[in-house]
Amino acid sequence: MLLEARDVVSGYGDATILNGVDLSVADDEMVCIIGPNGAGKSTLLKTIVGIVDTWEGQIEFADEDITELPPERVVDHGICYVPQDDNVFADLTIRENLRMGAWAAEGDDWFDFDERVEAVYEQFPVLRERLGQTAGSLSGGQQQMVAMATALMLDPDLLILDEPSAGLAPKLIDDVFERIAEINDAGTPILMVEQNARRALRESDRGVVLDMGENHIEGTGGDLLDSDEVAELYLGAT
Amino acid sequence: MVLDPQFIWNGIVVGSIISVSALGLTLIFGILNFINIAYGDYMATGAYLAFALNAQIGLPLGVAIVAGVAGMAAGAVLIDKLVFEHFRTSSPVTLLIVSIGVAFFIRNLIRAIWGPTGNFYDVPIEANPNLFGVRYSVEQLSIIVASLLLLTAVYVLLRRTRIGIAMRAASDDRTLTRIRGVDTERLVLYVWIAGGAIAGLGGIMLGLDAQIRPNMGFTALIPIFAATILGGIGDPKGAVAGGFAIGILQEVSVVVVPSEYKFAVALAALIVGLLLRPDGLFGEATR
């Protein structure tokens, strides 16, 4: 397994949010975490990337223990994370945002900033014309593109997305999911949390249902979509 | 009534000092997210360090200034290690109150070492030259040139260098900056070095323009805060624009109001500015 989290317990202050959660992501896989509000989906992502401390349990990435690492060290392992809100530097230009995305690799031999920027533009052509604009001046959908582009600057070994479609118009949601599928097809494993569960499960190799900070059901995207229990409890009536 | 250009000149000099000082304060706020009341006393410390080396030990003023600036940069780092670092996760209000304690401590330490009376740098006393009816001194010219150089240097740092871009990023969103792989504690160190050095320079300029007194920095805080907040706190170019605006307004106001009310003019400008542009000069128009 590329990412392996076992019995993870974490939370904020006195409030325990995750009560021993297991999660794994294999190479090339796209895994989607679904579940009701307050299930601990975002907290699980934040715990993996080190923004929230792990109280118990263990998180391994590519056979290395990353449980105790702070966020600025997690990225060195090739894990890039796009938070749900506040995922771009609003006061910085797009180019500067991309520069920040490249921070962990700048100075490394393999890394060529201009080359990576070109590669990222291929995936997000709209950004090309807006280089000098501040990210804060962009629309929500464009900001989401900047956020994903920034996270892709390092050519990550795992891309973690928290609600990439939140707050976007339906047409843009299609666009975002298309990009995510492309990124995954190109070989980058993805772990995401999505409110738009049906859509996300259709795109994913595997789905994990989280409820009350515990694992519930797990299966391929198709299996979960077909499951009556999942449909009734977590997908809502259609 | 014709406006005497002398007042504009004085305003540019004072504006230069306020701009430089406000820039340091706003940089510290941007990363550490608290208003450091001790900043004025950092300024005074820089001024006194240079005074001790220049007027007391007899070093040339230029050397004393560089050493005073460097000394205050080191001092700011030391104070962070001794005090502020222990309150990193505390609320901005707690930090503000802690900084008031630091301010009192520094001010009284200065008083204990150098006494309460005013002092001057050892600069040659010459009749001020006169150009187009404006009297100016070599010190004033140096203040303006030095501020322009410093403001340009900081601009280049923040816009063109990797560390500078990361500083702006951290001032925008510290968590996201960490997610991108930046060790923000390292940035905090750099910001104290830069902020302390700038405070020291601001204090020395203030001492050159007027006199060196224990409460010189504390008194100067009012127009500096006014400039910082008017410019949008945490926004470097706002602080600079606010600094010149407040400086010039304050000096020109002498024409209509008695000069004891200079600071009231700074505060009035701040209030009007906040009413018109709550997010600062360059912030989003009213929210």
Side-chain angles (χ1 to χ4, degrees):
Chain A
M1 279 296 160
L2 181 66
L3 177 77
E4 180 95 66
R6 279 184 297 268
D7 288 324
V8 172
V9 178
S10 77
Y12 306 90
D14 291 333
T16 307
I17 308 287
L18 301 180
N19 279 307
V21 171
D22 296 322
L23 179 80
S24 64
V25 179
D27 289 313
D28 302 332
E29 208 179 16
M30 164 134 61
V31 175
C32 175
I33 306 169
I34 63 167
N37 282 333
K41 306 185 296 287
S42 290
T43 306
L44 178 55
L45 299 187
K46 287 180 185 166
T47 308
I48 293 169
V49 299
I51 297 170
V52 172
D53 288 340
T54 310
W55 295 347
E56 282 173 43
Q58 205 189 18
I59 304 169
E60 278 181 8
F61 186 74
D63 295 324
E64 284 184 271
D65 189 351
I66 61 162
T67 318
E68 301 292 329
L69 294 184
E72 61 266 29
R73 294 282 73 88
V74 168
V75 66
D76 290 339
H77 288 257
I79 301 177
C80 289
Y81 164 64
V82 180
Q84 180 184 349
D85 306 306
D86 301 325
N87 51 22
V88 295
F89 297 109
D91 296 340
L92 268 54
T93 64
I94 291 174
R95 198 181 164 83
E96 286 168 340
N97 268 279
L98 296 177
R99 192 89 200 269
M100 290 308 296
W103 180 274
E106 264 188 277
D108 289 3
D109 286 339
W110 67 273
F111 190 80
D112 179 339
F113 181 75
D114 294 322
E115 203 175 276
R116 270 316 289 169
V117 170
E118 268 313 307
V120 163
Y121 287 156
E122 297 282 310
Q123 278 165 308
F124 302 98
V126 301
L127 303 184
R128 197 188 288 271
E129 309 107 62
R130 297 172 191 269
L131 261 192
Q133 249 174 281
T134 57
S137 70
L138 301 178
S139 70
Q142 288 166 340
Q143 286 192 16
Q144 190 63 40
M145 298 295 177
V146 173
M148 293 212 286
T150 309
L152 286 173
M153 282 300 289
L154 294 183
D155 194 7
D157 298 326
L158 175 67
L159 180 63
I160 299 183
L161 304 169
D162 194 351
E163 306 251 3
S165 78
L168 299 185
K171 196 185 161 306
L172 286 171
I173 293 180
D174 285 343
D175 212 24
V176 166
F177 275 113
E178 229 165 81
R179 279 326 129 76
I180 294 171
E182 278 171 25
I183 294 165
N184 184 239
D185 290 343
T188 306
I190 293 177
L191 171 64
M192 71 174 159
V193 161
E194 244 313 318
Q195 202 71 259
N196 203 329
R198 274 175 204 286
R199 180 68 202 260
L201 285 175
R202 261 202 305 274
E203 306 281 351
S204 303
D205 298 310
R206 206 150 47 83
V208 174
V209 180
L210 216 59
D211 198 353
M212 306 284 283
E214 285 170 11
N215 291 79
H216 267 237
I217 310 159
E218 197 172 324
T220 65
D223 285 351
L224 292 188
L225 282 171
D226 292 340
S227 150
D228 291 338
E229 191 191 352
V230 172
E232 190 182 331
L233 289 174
Y234 305 112
L235 299 179
T238 36
Chain B
M1 179 177 62
V2 181
L3 184 59
D4 187 340
Q6 184 70 49
F7 293 116
I8 307 262
W9 170 256
N10 294 349
I12 293 173
V13 175
V14 173
S16 301
I17 300 173
I18 298 177
S19 286
V20 164
S21 311
L23 179 63
L25 185 70
T26 223
L27 283 179
I28 294 171
F29 177 86
I31 306 272
L32 287 130
N33 211 24
F34 78 97
I35 295 176
N36 187 2
I37 299 287
Y39 185 81
D41 301 287
Y42 287 16
M43 292 174 66
T45 307
Y48 271 98
L49 286 176
F51 167 73
L53 294 169
N54 165 241
Q56 295 182 308
I57 295 179
L59 293 176
L61 186 59
V63 177
I65 289 175
V66 172
V69 167
M72 194 51 237
V77 173
L78 182 70
I79 293 166
D80 183 55
K81 294 283 171 229
L82 290 175
V83 186
F84 294 127
E85 197 182 81
H86 305 287
F87 296 91
R88 211 60 105 214
T89 51
S90 304
S91 77
V93 176
T94 308
L95 275 154
L96 180 120
I97 291 166
V98 168
S99 79
I100 293 176
V102 173
F104 277 120
F105 181 83
I106 299 177
R107 208 173 313 146
N108 285 298
L109 190 66
I110 289 174
R111 218 170 256 142
I113 298 175
W114 285 287
T117 50
N119 290 290
F120 295 92
Y121 290 112
D122 185 11
V123 288
I125 298 166
E126 290 164 12
N128 286 340
N130 190 312
L131 190 70
F132 305 121
V134 175
R135 275 172 293 104
Y136 66 95
S137 68
V138 178
E139 288 77 47
Q140 287 179 323
L141 268 182
S142 319
I143 286 171
I144 294 174
V145 171
S147 344
L148 292 179
L149 288 177
L150 181 97
L151 298 177
T152 313
V154 173
Y155 182 84
V156 171
L157 169 82
L158 290 177
R159 290 280 156 184
R160 296 275 173 267
T161 71
R162 188 164 174 258
I163 293 286
I165 294 171
M167 282 181 180
R168 282 166 53 223
S171 133
D172 193 342
D173 189 332
R174 195 155 166 186
T175 306
L176 188 58
T177 309
R178 295 184 67 195
I179 291 169
R180 296 287 165 251
V182 182
D183 178 354
T184 47
E185 268 303 307
R186 178 76 62 84
L187 286 184
V188 164
L189 175 71
Y190 296 153
V191 163
W192 280 122
I193 292 174
I198 294 172
L201 185 66
I204 292 167
M205 288 174 167
L206 204 57
L208 276 172
D209 191 46
Q211 54 173 319
I212 309 156
R213 284 175 302 120
N215 65 346
M216 61 189 283
F218 183 68
T219 327
L221 275 186
I222 296 170
I224 293 169
F225 278 163
T228 310
I229 297 168
L230 186 64
I233 188 150
D235 178 357
K237 69 177 180 306
V240 172
F244 279 104
I246 296 280
I248 293 170
L249 201 67
Q250 205 175 272
E251 295 305 309
V252 169
S253 74
V254 173
V255 180
V256 275
V257 290
S259 67
E260 307 87 280
Y261 294 113
K262 266 185 202 177
F263 290 156
V265 172
L267 284 176
L270 171 62
I271 292 166
V272 173
L274 281 180
L275 284 173
L276 297 177
R277 296 198 72 88
D279 292 321
L281 291 174
F282 301 108
E284 315 254 306
T286 49
R287 237 171 229 165

